[in-house]
Amino acid sequence: MDRELRERMENIRKSCAGVSAYRDAVLKNYSERLQTRIQEWLGSSVDQDKILQEAAVLADRSDIQEELVRLDNHVQHFVALLDTKGEVGKKMDFLLQEMNREANTLLSKTSGLAGDAAKITEAGLAMKSDIEKAREQVQNIE
């Protein structure tokens, strides 16, 4: 079981690396969306504060680096637990729950994006699959 869990964590790491490779595409996609919206607003009478507020929201939504860093940290912590003795099942289950939360956030931040950025969905779903399979295995650990 230890080997299978390590493989699952390595799969999650690889998926994170794949997502990271598309990070620039995500930022570009959001930038294009923002430019389009600004052009629409410039054609109408829109408050400058509204434009700045919308830009700030889009900028916050667009960066997935925080989720990738957290996922990587959780994977490292999980692998370290595999090397420890004692009762680690609950800790592993908690980490997997956190990994799932980060994967969900990553997917929600990138939903609806086109082009290369859409490949993040595939990688995110692969992560979620590995996380769920690991959770099933961890539930058998005391």
Side-chain angles (χ1 to χ4, degrees), residues 7-18:
E7 287 177 11
R8 301 236 180 268
M9 293 302 109
E10 185 57 30
N11 289 344
I12 293 168
R13 271 196 179 134
K14 287 178 183 175
S15 292
C16 281

Side-chain angles (χ1 to χ4, degrees), residues 22-112:
Y22 295 115
R23 183 171 173 241
D24 288 341
V26 170
L27 295 173
K28 181 180 179 201
N29 198 297
Y30 272 111
S31 174
E32 289 169 357
R33 277 184 171 182
L34 179 60
Q35 287 175 0
T36 300
R37 290 182 97 169
I38 289 173
Q39 290 301 319
E40 290 170 2
W41 292 333
L42 290 175
S44 62
S45 59
V46 176
D47 183 13
Q48 290 290 333
D49 288 337
K50 180 175 170 101
I51 292 174
L52 292 173
Q53 183 181 20
E54 187 70 21
V57 169
L58 284 173
D60 185 48
R61 284 186 193 165
S62 67
D63 197 3
I64 56 174
Q65 186 63 29
E66 188 174 330
E67 286 75 22
L68 294 173
V69 168
R70 283 191 193 131
L71 273 164
D72 186 57
N73 288 337
H74 294 324
V75 167
Q76 287 178 30
H77 190 181
F78 188 94
V79 170
L81 286 174
L82 288 172
D83 296 328
T84 61
K85 304 288 184 208
E87 297 180 15
V88 294
K90 287 184 181 183
K91 290 177 184 176
M92 289 178 167
D93 190 52
F94 175 76
L95 283 170
L96 289 164
Q97 180 181 340
E98 291 300 306
M99 286 182 219
N100 194 49
R101 183 174 291 127
E102 297 301 336
N104 283 336
T105 302
L106 187 133
L107 285 167
S108 71
K109 281 186 171 185
T110 58
S111 69

